[in-house]
Amino acid sequence: MKTQRSLRSVRFLIPLGCISITLLTVLLRAGSQSEGHRARVADLGEPSLAVVAQRWFRMGVGIHDGLPQRLEDHALLLRHFRVVTPENSLKPAAVQPRENQWFFDLPDAFVAFAERHRLQVVGHCLVWAKDDRTPSWFYPEGDSPADRQLLLQRMSNHIRTVVGRYRGRITEWDVVNEALDDGSEWLRPSGWSRLCQEEFIAGAFRWAHQADPNALLIYNDYHNELPAKREKCLRLLRQLREQGVPVHAVGLQGHYEIDQVPFEELERTFEAIRALGLKAVISELDIDMIPRSRWWAEGGRYREELSRYDPYRDGLPAELLERQAQQYARLFRLFRRHADIIERVSFWNLHDGQSWLNSFPWRRVNHPLLFDRAGRPKPAFYAVVEVLQEP
Ligand code: GLA
Protein backbone atom coordinates (compact mmCIF):
# COMPACT_ATOMS: atom_id res chain seq x y z
CA MET A 1 0.00 0.00 0.00
CA LYS A 2 2.64 2.40 1.13
CA THR A 3 4.82 1.46 -1.86
CA GLN A 4 1.92 1.95 -4.23
CA ARG A 5 1.21 5.39 -2.88
CA SER A 6 4.81 6.49 -3.16
CA LEU A 7 4.98 5.06 -6.69
CA ARG A 8 1.92 7.11 -7.59
CA SER A 9 3.44 10.26 -6.16
CA VAL A 10 6.69 9.62 -7.99
CA ARG A 11 4.71 9.22 -11.22
CA PHE A 12 3.08 12.53 -10.44
CA LEU A 13 6.35 14.23 -9.46
CA ILE A 14 8.36 13.24 -12.53
CA PRO A 15 6.26 15.22 -15.05
CA LEU A 16 6.15 18.12 -12.59
CA GLY A 17 9.93 18.03 -12.31
CA CYS A 18 10.30 17.93 -16.09
CA ILE A 19 8.00 20.90 -16.48
CA SER A 20 9.92 22.96 -13.96
CA ILE A 21 13.31 22.08 -15.51
CA THR A 22 12.00 23.06 -18.94
CA LEU A 23 10.59 26.28 -17.52
CA LEU A 24 13.87 27.05 -15.80
CA THR A 25 15.84 26.41 -18.98
CA VAL A 26 13.52 28.66 -20.98
CA LEU A 27 13.88 31.40 -18.39
CA LEU A 28 17.66 31.06 -18.30
CA ARG A 29 17.85 31.09 -22.09
CA ALA A 30 15.70 34.18 -22.25
CA GLY A 31 17.97 35.83 -19.69
CA SER A 32 21.07 34.85 -21.58
CA GLN A 33 19.68 36.24 -24.81
CA SER A 34 18.88 39.57 -23.28
CA GLU A 35 22.18 39.91 -21.46
CA GLY A 36 24.26 38.32 -24.19
CA HIS A 37 27.54 36.71 -23.41
CA ARG A 38 27.57 37.68 -19.77
CA ALA A 39 24.58 35.55 -18.83
CA ARG A 40 25.51 32.69 -21.13
CA VAL A 41 28.81 32.16 -19.43
CA ALA A 42 27.34 32.39 -15.97
CA ASP A 43 24.56 29.92 -16.88
CA LEU A 44 26.89 27.15 -17.90
CA GLY A 45 27.59 26.55 -14.26
CA GLU A 46 31.14 25.39 -14.83
CA PRO A 47 33.45 25.62 -11.82
CA SER A 48 35.47 28.75 -11.25
CA LEU A 49 39.13 28.33 -12.12
CA ALA A 50 40.16 30.71 -9.35
CA VAL A 51 38.15 28.79 -6.77
CA VAL A 52 39.46 25.35 -7.71
CA ALA A 53 43.01 26.73 -7.86
CA GLN A 54 42.93 28.65 -4.61
CA ARG A 55 44.47 25.94 -2.46
CA TRP A 56 47.45 25.92 -4.83
CA PHE A 57 48.00 29.40 -6.24
CA ARG A 58 46.22 32.54 -7.40
CA MET A 59 44.84 32.58 -10.94
CA GLY A 60 45.42 35.62 -13.06
CA VAL A 61 45.17 36.92 -16.59
CA GLY A 62 46.82 39.59 -18.72
CA ILE A 63 43.96 41.57 -20.19
CA HIS A 64 42.99 44.50 -22.40
CA ASP A 65 43.77 47.87 -20.86
CA GLY A 66 40.28 49.15 -21.64
CA LEU A 67 38.81 46.52 -19.32
CA PRO A 68 36.38 48.81 -17.45
CA GLN A 69 34.51 49.57 -20.70
CA ARG A 70 34.62 46.05 -22.09
CA LEU A 71 31.40 44.83 -20.52
CA GLU A 72 31.41 41.66 -22.62
CA ASP A 73 34.57 40.51 -20.77
CA HIS A 74 33.43 41.05 -17.21
CA ALA A 75 31.46 37.87 -16.50
CA LEU A 76 34.14 35.53 -17.78
CA LEU A 77 36.93 37.45 -16.06
CA LEU A 78 35.22 37.79 -12.71
CA ARG A 79 34.16 34.17 -12.62
CA HIS A 80 37.57 32.66 -13.26
CA PHE A 81 40.33 35.07 -12.26
CA ARG A 82 41.43 37.00 -9.19
CA VAL A 83 44.49 38.84 -10.52
CA VAL A 84 44.74 41.07 -13.58
CA THR A 85 47.71 42.44 -15.50
CA PRO A 86 47.00 45.36 -17.82
CA GLU A 87 48.43 44.25 -21.14
CA ASN A 88 50.17 47.43 -22.25
CA SER A 89 49.23 50.59 -20.44
CA LEU A 90 51.90 50.37 -17.72
CA LYS A 91 54.77 49.70 -20.09
CA PRO A 92 57.28 52.56 -20.21
CA ALA A 93 56.37 53.48 -23.80
CA ALA A 94 52.72 53.89 -22.77
CA VAL A 95 53.21 55.63 -19.41
CA GLN A 96 56.03 58.02 -20.25
CA PRO A 97 56.58 58.11 -24.02
CA ARG A 98 58.39 61.44 -23.70
CA GLU A 99 60.29 62.72 -20.72
CA ASN A 100 57.88 63.88 -18.02
CA GLN A 101 54.79 63.38 -20.17
CA TRP A 102 52.76 60.95 -18.18
CA PHE A 103 49.73 58.98 -19.31
CA PHE A 104 47.89 57.51 -16.37
CA ASP A 105 44.25 57.63 -17.46
CA LEU A 106 44.07 54.02 -18.64
CA PRO A 107 45.92 52.40 -15.74
CA ASP A 108 44.08 54.62 -13.22
CA ALA A 109 40.73 53.40 -14.53
CA PHE A 110 41.99 49.83 -14.72
CA VAL A 111 43.18 49.81 -11.12
CA ALA A 112 39.96 51.43 -9.92
CA PHE A 113 37.94 48.76 -11.73
CA ALA A 114 40.08 46.04 -10.16
CA GLU A 115 39.52 47.51 -6.70
CA ARG A 116 35.78 47.68 -7.20
CA HIS A 117 35.81 43.99 -8.10
CA ARG A 118 38.38 42.87 -5.52
CA LEU A 119 40.94 41.85 -8.11
CA GLN A 120 44.64 42.19 -7.45
CA VAL A 121 46.75 44.01 -10.04
CA VAL A 122 50.17 43.14 -11.43
CA GLY A 123 52.12 46.13 -12.73
CA HIS A 124 53.83 45.26 -16.01
CA CYS A 125 56.54 46.43 -16.44
CA LEU A 126 58.90 49.07 -15.07
CA VAL A 127 61.91 48.43 -17.31
CA TRP A 128 61.64 46.45 -20.55
CA ALA A 129 65.31 45.99 -21.29
CA LYS A 130 65.04 46.02 -25.07
CA ASP A 131 65.88 48.94 -27.30
CA ASP A 132 62.69 48.72 -29.35
CA ARG A 133 60.63 48.72 -26.14
CA THR A 134 62.43 51.57 -24.42
CA PRO A 135 61.30 55.07 -25.41
CA SER A 136 64.38 56.58 -27.05
CA TRP A 137 64.46 59.65 -24.77
CA PHE A 138 65.61 57.40 -21.92
CA TYR A 139 68.98 56.89 -23.58
CA PRO A 140 71.58 59.65 -23.28
CA GLU A 141 73.67 60.51 -26.37
CA GLY A 142 77.08 59.38 -25.16
CA ASP A 143 78.44 56.67 -22.92
CA SER A 144 80.44 58.59 -20.33
CA PRO A 145 79.97 58.00 -16.58
CA ALA A 146 77.75 61.08 -16.54
CA ASP A 147 75.56 59.52 -19.25
CA ARG A 148 75.34 56.35 -17.21
CA GLN A 149 74.22 58.40 -14.22
CA LEU A 150 71.64 60.17 -16.36
CA LEU A 151 70.12 56.90 -17.57
CA LEU A 152 69.89 55.59 -14.00
CA GLN A 153 68.38 58.83 -12.83
CA ARG A 154 65.72 58.73 -15.57
CA MET A 155 64.94 55.16 -14.64
CA SER A 156 64.66 55.92 -10.95
CA ASN A 157 62.39 58.87 -11.63
CA HIS A 158 60.17 56.67 -13.79
CA ILE A 159 59.99 53.87 -11.25
CA ARG A 160 59.38 56.10 -8.28
CA THR A 161 56.62 57.97 -10.05
CA VAL A 162 54.81 54.89 -11.32
CA VAL A 163 55.20 52.61 -8.30
CA GLY A 164 54.59 55.50 -5.90
CA ARG A 165 51.33 56.40 -7.64
CA TYR A 166 49.89 52.93 -7.04
CA ARG A 167 51.57 52.21 -3.72
CA GLY A 168 49.54 49.66 -1.78
CA ARG A 169 47.13 49.25 -4.72
CA ILE A 170 49.31 47.44 -7.23
CA THR A 171 50.70 44.69 -5.07
CA GLU A 172 53.23 43.10 -7.43
CA TRP A 173 55.47 44.40 -10.17
CA ASP A 174 57.36 42.93 -13.09
CA VAL A 175 60.29 45.17 -12.31
CA VAL A 176 62.59 44.18 -15.15
CA ASN A 177 61.39 42.34 -18.25
CA GLU A 178 63.54 40.35 -20.69
CA ALA A 179 67.04 41.54 -19.77
CA LEU A 180 68.77 38.24 -20.61
CA ASP A 181 70.31 37.53 -23.98
CA ASP A 182 69.03 34.75 -26.24
CA GLY A 183 72.46 34.24 -27.76
CA SER A 184 75.93 33.99 -26.31
CA GLU A 185 75.93 37.21 -24.27
CA TRP A 186 74.83 37.26 -20.66
CA LEU A 187 72.64 40.34 -20.84
CA ARG A 188 70.70 41.32 -23.96
CA PRO A 189 72.61 44.00 -25.83
CA SER A 190 70.72 47.28 -25.36
CA GLY A 191 71.28 50.84 -24.22
CA TRP A 192 70.70 49.57 -20.68
CA SER A 193 73.40 46.92 -20.65
CA ARG A 194 75.78 48.99 -22.74
CA LEU A 195 75.76 51.89 -20.29
CA CYS A 196 75.11 50.19 -16.97
CA GLN A 197 75.77 46.45 -17.32
CA GLU A 198 73.70 44.70 -14.69
CA GLU A 199 73.65 47.72 -12.40
CA PHE A 200 70.39 48.97 -13.88
CA ILE A 201 68.66 45.78 -12.76
CA ALA A 202 69.78 46.11 -9.15
CA GLY A 203 68.83 49.79 -9.20
CA ALA A 204 65.37 49.08 -10.62
CA PHE A 205 64.56 46.65 -7.80
CA ARG A 206 65.93 48.96 -5.11
CA TRP A 207 63.89 51.92 -6.29
CA ALA A 208 60.75 49.86 -6.72
CA HIS A 209 61.17 48.57 -3.17
CA GLN A 210 61.70 52.06 -1.79
CA ALA A 211 58.56 53.27 -3.55
CA ASP A 212 56.44 50.41 -2.19
CA PRO A 213 58.14 48.23 0.44
CA ASN A 214 55.23 45.76 0.51
CA ALA A 215 55.09 44.98 -3.20
CA LEU A 216 56.19 41.61 -4.55
CA LEU A 217 59.03 42.31 -6.97
CA ILE A 218 59.54 40.04 -9.97
CA TYR A 219 62.23 39.49 -12.57
CA ASN A 220 60.32 38.36 -15.70
CA ASP A 221 61.58 36.66 -18.87
CA TYR A 222 60.83 34.05 -21.54
CA HIS A 223 62.73 30.79 -22.17
CA ASN A 224 64.27 31.18 -18.72
CA GLU A 225 63.31 27.57 -17.96
CA LEU A 226 65.51 26.35 -20.83
CA PRO A 227 69.07 25.38 -19.84
CA ALA A 228 71.05 28.21 -21.43
CA LYS A 229 68.88 31.08 -20.30
CA ARG A 230 68.10 29.41 -16.97
CA GLU A 231 71.78 29.48 -16.04
CA LYS A 232 71.94 33.17 -16.88
CA CYS A 233 68.78 33.83 -14.91
CA LEU A 234 70.05 31.96 -11.85
CA ARG A 235 73.36 33.77 -12.03
CA LEU A 236 71.56 37.09 -12.13
CA LEU A 237 69.32 36.21 -9.19
CA ARG A 238 72.17 34.84 -7.12
CA GLN A 239 74.13 37.99 -7.71
CA LEU A 240 71.20 40.21 -6.82
CA ARG A 241 70.58 38.25 -3.64
CA GLU A 242 74.24 38.47 -2.63
CA GLN A 243 74.05 42.22 -3.02
CA GLY A 244 70.97 42.34 -0.83
CA VAL A 245 68.77 43.51 -3.70
CA PRO A 246 65.04 43.07 -2.94
CA VAL A 247 64.05 40.60 -5.65
CA HIS A 248 61.31 38.21 -4.56
CA ALA A 249 60.17 36.11 -7.49
CA VAL A 250 61.08 34.87 -10.94
CA GLY A 251 58.50 35.29 -13.66
CA LEU A 252 58.42 32.50 -16.23
CA GLN A 253 56.36 33.94 -19.06
CA GLY A 254 55.22 30.50 -20.23
CA HIS A 255 54.51 31.23 -23.89
CA TYR A 256 54.62 27.59 -24.96
CA GLU A 257 53.98 25.78 -28.23
CA ILE A 258 51.96 22.59 -28.66
CA ASP A 259 54.06 19.40 -28.37
CA GLN A 260 57.05 21.43 -27.17
CA VAL A 261 56.14 22.30 -23.60
CA PRO A 262 59.43 21.94 -21.68
CA PHE A 263 58.07 19.84 -18.79
CA GLU A 264 61.39 18.41 -17.58
CA GLU A 265 63.19 21.72 -17.81
CA LEU A 266 60.40 23.40 -15.90
CA GLU A 267 60.77 20.83 -13.15
CA ARG A 268 64.49 21.61 -12.85
CA THR A 269 63.79 25.32 -12.92
CA PHE A 270 61.33 25.15 -10.04
CA GLU A 271 63.84 23.15 -8.03
CA ALA A 272 66.54 25.72 -8.67
CA ILE A 273 64.25 28.60 -7.77
CA ARG A 274 63.29 26.84 -4.54
CA ALA A 275 66.96 26.27 -3.71
CA LEU A 276 67.55 30.01 -4.07
CA GLY A 277 64.78 30.75 -1.61
CA LEU A 278 62.75 32.62 -4.21
CA LYS A 279 59.18 32.36 -5.44
CA ALA A 280 58.03 31.65 -8.99
CA VAL A 281 55.26 33.17 -11.02
CA ILE A 282 53.89 31.85 -14.32
CA SER A 283 53.25 35.24 -15.76
CA GLU A 284 51.97 34.97 -19.35
CA LEU A 285 50.79 31.41 -20.00
CA ASP A 286 49.49 30.16 -23.35
CA ILE A 287 50.01 27.18 -25.69
CA ASP A 288 50.36 28.26 -29.31
CA MET A 289 48.55 25.77 -31.56
CA ILE A 290 50.37 26.90 -34.69
CA PRO A 291 54.01 26.63 -33.67
CA ARG A 292 55.90 29.79 -34.44
CA SER A 293 59.60 28.98 -33.99
CA ARG A 294 60.16 28.43 -37.72
CA TRP A 295 59.46 32.12 -38.22
CA TRP A 296 62.94 32.87 -36.86
CA ALA A 297 64.73 29.84 -38.32
CA GLU A 298 67.43 30.07 -40.97
CA GLY A 299 67.46 33.81 -41.32
CA GLY A 300 63.69 34.02 -41.73
CA ARG A 301 63.51 32.06 -45.00
CA TYR A 302 60.14 30.47 -44.13
CA ARG A 303 58.37 33.72 -43.40
CA GLU A 304 56.75 34.18 -46.76
CA GLU A 305 55.36 30.63 -46.68
CA LEU A 306 54.28 30.91 -43.03
CA SER A 307 52.52 34.21 -43.49
CA ARG A 308 49.94 32.33 -45.63
CA TYR A 309 49.66 29.45 -43.16
CA ASP A 310 46.34 29.63 -41.31
CA PRO A 311 45.17 26.04 -40.85
CA TYR A 312 42.55 26.44 -38.09
CA ARG A 313 40.44 29.26 -39.45
CA ASP A 314 37.33 27.14 -38.99
CA GLY A 315 38.24 25.86 -35.55
CA LEU A 316 40.61 23.43 -33.94
CA PRO A 317 40.03 19.73 -34.81
CA ALA A 318 38.86 17.58 -31.90
CA GLU A 319 42.13 15.66 -31.83
CA LEU A 320 44.10 18.85 -31.28
CA LEU A 321 41.70 20.15 -28.67
CA GLU A 322 42.32 16.91 -26.81
CA ARG A 323 46.10 17.13 -27.18
CA GLN A 324 46.05 20.67 -25.90
CA ALA A 325 43.93 19.53 -22.95
CA GLN A 326 46.42 16.80 -22.09
CA GLN A 327 49.38 19.15 -22.25
CA TYR A 328 47.66 21.79 -20.13
CA ALA A 329 46.74 19.07 -17.64
CA ARG A 330 50.33 17.88 -17.41
CA LEU A 331 51.49 21.44 -16.95
CA PHE A 332 49.08 22.12 -14.11
CA ARG A 333 49.99 18.82 -12.46
CA LEU A 334 53.56 20.08 -12.48
CA PHE A 335 52.50 23.47 -11.11
CA ARG A 336 50.58 21.71 -8.36
CA ARG A 337 53.63 19.75 -7.33
CA HIS A 338 55.55 23.00 -6.94
CA ALA A 339 52.70 25.00 -5.50
CA ASP A 340 54.77 25.74 -2.38
CA ILE A 341 56.84 28.20 -4.41
CA ILE A 342 54.37 29.19 -7.14
CA GLU A 343 52.71 32.44 -6.19
CA ARG A 344 50.44 32.85 -9.18
CA VAL A 345 49.61 31.44 -12.60
CA SER A 346 48.48 34.06 -15.11
CA PHE A 347 47.30 33.42 -18.65
CA TRP A 348 48.11 35.93 -21.33
CA ASN A 349 44.70 37.07 -22.55
CA LEU A 350 41.18 36.09 -21.60
CA HIS A 351 40.06 33.90 -24.50
CA ASP A 352 41.24 32.63 -27.87
CA GLY A 353 39.76 35.55 -29.76
CA GLN A 354 41.84 38.02 -27.74
CA SER A 355 45.18 36.22 -27.84
CA TRP A 356 48.22 38.10 -29.10
CA LEU A 357 49.08 34.87 -30.96
CA ASN A 358 46.39 35.65 -33.54
CA SER A 359 48.72 38.29 -34.93
CA PHE A 360 52.20 37.45 -33.70
CA PRO A 361 54.44 36.68 -35.48
CA TRP A 362 51.99 36.48 -38.40
CA ARG A 363 48.22 36.80 -38.73
CA ARG A 364 46.38 33.52 -38.15
CA VAL A 365 43.38 32.17 -36.26
CA ASN A 366 44.89 30.75 -33.10
CA HIS A 367 43.45 28.79 -30.16
CA PRO A 368 46.01 28.94 -27.32
CA LEU A 369 43.83 29.46 -24.21
CA LEU A 370 41.26 27.69 -22.04
CA PHE A 371 38.24 29.56 -23.43
CA ASP A 372 37.13 29.76 -27.05
CA ARG A 373 36.16 32.90 -28.94
CA ALA A 374 32.70 32.94 -27.39
CA GLY A 375 34.17 32.58 -23.91
CA ARG A 376 33.08 28.95 -23.66
CA PRO A 377 35.35 26.55 -21.77
CA LYS A 378 37.36 24.20 -23.99
CA PRO A 379 38.44 20.63 -23.18
CA ALA A 380 41.66 22.15 -21.81
CA PHE A 381 39.62 24.06 -19.23
CA TYR A 382 37.95 20.91 -17.93
CA ALA A 383 41.28 19.07 -17.91
CA VAL A 384 42.90 21.80 -15.81
CA VAL A 385 39.95 21.92 -13.41
CA GLU A 386 40.14 18.18 -12.98
CA VAL A 387 43.84 18.32 -12.13
CA LEU A 388 43.32 21.12 -9.64
CA GLN A 389 40.50 19.20 -7.96
CA GLU A 390 42.30 15.86 -7.70
CA PRO A 391 42.85 14.94 -4.07
C1 GLA B 1 56.01 39.67 -23.83
C2 GLA B 1 55.70 40.82 -22.88
C3 GLA B 1 54.24 41.06 -22.75
C4 GLA B 1 53.51 40.98 -24.06
C5 GLA B 1 53.81 39.66 -24.68
C6 GLA B 1 53.05 39.49 -25.96
O1 GLA B 1 55.94 38.44 -23.26
O2 GLA B 1 56.24 40.64 -21.61
O3 GLA B 1 54.05 42.34 -22.25
O4 GLA B 1 53.91 42.03 -24.88
O5 GLA B 1 55.18 39.61 -24.94
O6 GLA B 1 51.93 40.25 -26.10
Side-chain angles (χ1 to χ4, degrees), residues 43 69 77 128 163 238 254 276 379:
D43 291 348
Q69 282 76 47
L77 167 73
W128 194 345
V163 177
R238 234 175 264 126
L276 274 181

Side-chain angles (χ1 to χ4, degrees), residues 60-326:
V61 62
I63 195 162
H64 198 286
D65 305 88
L67 174 62
Q69 282 76 47
R70 295 170 63 91
L71 305 184
E72 68 279 18
D73 290 347
H74 295 179
L76 188 63
L77 167 73
L78 298 175
R79 183 168 184 84
H80 294 292
F81 300 98
R82 295 287 178 269
V83 192
V84 280
T85 308
E87 227 183 315
N88 292 305
S89 59
L90 281 170
K91 289 173 175 169
V95 171
Q96 198 188 182
R98 284 165 296 278
E99 188 160 25
N100 284 322
Q101 276 190 24
W102 301 92
F103 291 83
F104 283 118
D105 287 357
L106 270 177
D108 280 358
F110 189 100
V111 172
F113 174 91
E115 284 173 335
R116 279 199 302 280
H117 295 277
R118 297 168 180 238
L119 299 164
Q120 294 175 324
V121 182
V122 182
H124 172 83
C125 50
L126 297 170
V127 177
W128 194 345
K130 264 177 139 172
D131 285 346
D132 60 349
R133 301 302 190 157
T134 301
S136 55
W137 68 263
F138 265 96
Y139 293 148
E141 302 265 300
D143 50 13
S144 67
D147 290 316
R148 189 180 132 275
Q149 269 317 316
L150 184 58
L151 177 58
L152 290 176
Q153 186 200 316
R154 287 171 174 167
M155 180 182 79
S156 100
N157 184 42
H158 181 83
I159 292 178
R160 282 199 258 228
T161 306
V162 180
V163 177
R165 184 179 186 91
Y166 300 107
R167 182 182 170 125
R169 301 172 68 204
I170 291 188
T171 47
E172 51 201 294
W173 281 96
D174 287 337
V175 177
V176 177
N177 196 29
E178 303 183 348
L180 298 170
D181 187 37
D182 292 313
S184 54
E185 302 287 319
W186 179 37
L187 298 181
R188 176 193 298 284
S190 74
W192 296 100
S193 56
R194 184 173 54 82
L195 277 169
C196 309
Q197 287 80 43
E198 64 270 34
E199 205 187 323
F200 78 93
I201 303 177
F205 279 91
R206 288 204 163 104
W207 283 310
H209 186 63
Q210 264 177 30
D212 188 348
N214 293 319
L216 180 88
L217 303 184
I218 304 163
Y219 174 76
N220 194 48
D221 215 323
Y222 60 88
H223 289 173
N224 47 344
E225 66 280 89
L226 301 184
K229 228 164 162 182
R230 179 174 60 226
E231 285 323 304
K232 296 177 194 182
C233 189
L234 294 174
R235 171 177 163 200
L236 174 66
L237 296 165
R238 234 175 264 126
Q239 192 172 310
L240 292 172
R241 296 292 293 239
E242 276 162 24
Q243 294 166 2
V245 173
V247 54
H248 309 128
V250 188
L252 308 168
Q253 289 185 0
H255 292 301
Y256 301 123
E257 298 177 46
I258 190 76
D259 301 329
Q260 296 169 49
V261 182
F263 298 107
E264 281 87 16
E265 298 304 346
L266 264 169
E267 189 92 58
R268 288 190 194 110
T269 306
F270 289 132
E271 279 155 16
I273 292 174
R274 183 181 294 102
L276 274 181
L278 288 170
K279 297 287 183 193
V281 158
I282 315 301
S283 54
E284 308 182 14
L285 181 60
D286 43 32
I287 299 187
D288 193 339
M289 297 310 287
I290 305 158
R292 59 184 182 272
S293 325
R294 262 175 95 227
W295 184 261
W296 292 276
E298 295 173 54
R301 59 181 291 211
Y302 302 108
R303 289 189 182 183
E304 161 111 38
E305 174 199 328
L306 283 172
S307 58
R308 289 188 302 272
Y309 186 57
D310 189 8
Y312 308 126
R313 257 181 311 230
D314 302 325
L316 206 56
E319 183 268 325
L320 272 170
L321 281 169
E322 186 43 37
R323 221 152 80 213
Q324 182 182 47
Q326 284 166 8

Side-chain angles (χ1 to χ4, degrees), residues 320-369:
L320 272 170
L321 281 169
E322 186 43 37
R323 221 152 80 213
Q324 182 182 47
Q326 284 166 8
Q327 295 179 26
Y328 262 122
R330 186 164 169 205
L331 205 45
F332 273 80
R333 216 166 279 128
L334 178 69
F335 295 160
R336 242 187 78 158
R337 269 205 307 285
H338 295 281
D340 61 314
I341 57 157
I342 297 180
E343 271 285 318
R344 158 173 60 89
V345 177
S346 287
F347 286 86
W348 202 246
N349 304 122
L350 187 58
H351 64 64
D352 285 345
Q354 295 181 3
S355 168
W356 68 299
L357 294 168
N358 291 299
S359 53
F360 178 87
W362 73 92
R363 190 157 284 286
R364 62 213 195 281
V365 178
N366 220 327
H367 308 263
L369 298 165

